[in-house]
Amino acid sequence: MTLPLYLGLPMWANQDWLGTLYPRHAKTELLSDYAAVFSSVEGNTTFYSGAPKPETVAAWARQAPDYFRFCFKLPAMVTHDQRLTRLDDAWAFLNALAPLHSRLGPTMVQLPRDFGPSELPRLEALLAQWPAHLPCSVEVRHPDFYLKGNAEKALNRLLITYSANRVMLDVRPVFSTPANGHLGLAHAQQEKPKLPLHVLSTADKPVIRFIGHIDKTINTGYFMPWIDRLILWIKQGKTPFLFVHTADNRESPEMARSLYHAVQQQFPLPALGSFASDQQSQLF
């Protein structure tokens, strides 16, 4: 089953969500509870830790329903340390995820900030050999790819040629105000690249990473134009993936649900499951 819009967060294991998204005393395996509400996840942990163990992949396969989509990141070892020069490690990573292949959304290739136009042949080598049955997305952070010049045109042509999705990183909300002493916001502003937003779907699974502010009204204001774009893509037969962060991610589940409902008010989407806190409040 394919959903019209996949909604997810940067991870599923976050202790800050106990008592809201999850029961206050939830078990350690949280994926099944997460997947009862959200339909996808970024899977950032593989960027840092590499390929998961076979028993871990088997456990994820047991806990996630068939419609769920994992969007893991290629390990930093492949993208940052090796800079796409040893592709056997990329294929080994994808092979380790074989039990989940039917439930993989676009695997994210997040490139270093200094991975520029001169290294595009390395990206092309990766995409030319990428397994046809597995979707892929690419996130670039080099400023030259945001100047609408020859470098960006070459990148976009490359992605279109190999049906790879360009990740759209929307950091406008998180940079919209000074941190003013808020540690989570300050950390997010230091960690995320301050790049312009270029809205462009280069394949059939557009990927949006919406990096929210701690102020919900700011997030809502920046998200409103996305609604028409998401609906347009769905009507075109595309399958968007929307991943919602907030500055410290404590409010990410609620923010993601709020933004999904905003789209749902203008386009028929499947209902989301309830948070544990919703079910608890109904008992009193």
Side-chain angles (χ1 to χ4, degrees), residues 144-156:
D144 285 357
F145 294 129
Y146 292 86
L147 297 177
K148 299 184 178 181
N150 291 333
E152 184 168 11
K153 291 176 182 177
L155 169 68
N156 291 336

Side-chain angles (χ1 to χ4, degrees), residues 193-230:
K194 192 174 183 180
L195 293 167
L197 173 66
H198 286 193
V199 179
L200 177 68
S201 174
T202 56
D204 62 354
K205 294 178 175 58
V207 177
I208 302 157
R209 300 181 66 219
F210 186 85
I211 316 299
H213 196 277
I214 54 174
D215 186 326
K216 295 179 182 179
T217 59
I218 289 176
N219 294 332
T220 301
Y222 279 105
F223 185 74
M224 286 301 105
W226 278 115
I227 296 176
D228 288 341
R229 184 57 58 115
L230 289 167

Side-chain angles (χ1 to χ4, degrees), residues 156-220:
N156 291 336
R157 281 197 301 267
L158 180 62
L159 298 179
I160 292 169
T161 297
Y162 293 102
S163 299
N165 302 274
R166 180 170 178 172
V167 175
M168 288 160 273
L169 181 66
D170 190 351
V171 296
R172 296 173 302 165
V174 79
F175 285 108
S176 61
T177 71
N180 292 329
H182 189 283
L183 295 180
L185 185 56
H187 177 73
Q189 291 176 349
Q190 293 170 1
E191 181 185 53
K192 301 301 181 186
K194 192 174 183 180
L195 293 167
L197 173 66
H198 286 193
V199 179
L200 177 68
S201 174
T202 56
D204 62 354
K205 294 178 175 58
V207 177
I208 302 157
R209 300 181 66 219
F210 186 85
I211 316 299
H213 196 277
I214 54 174
D215 186 326
K216 295 179 182 179
T217 59
I218 289 176
N219 294 332
T220 301

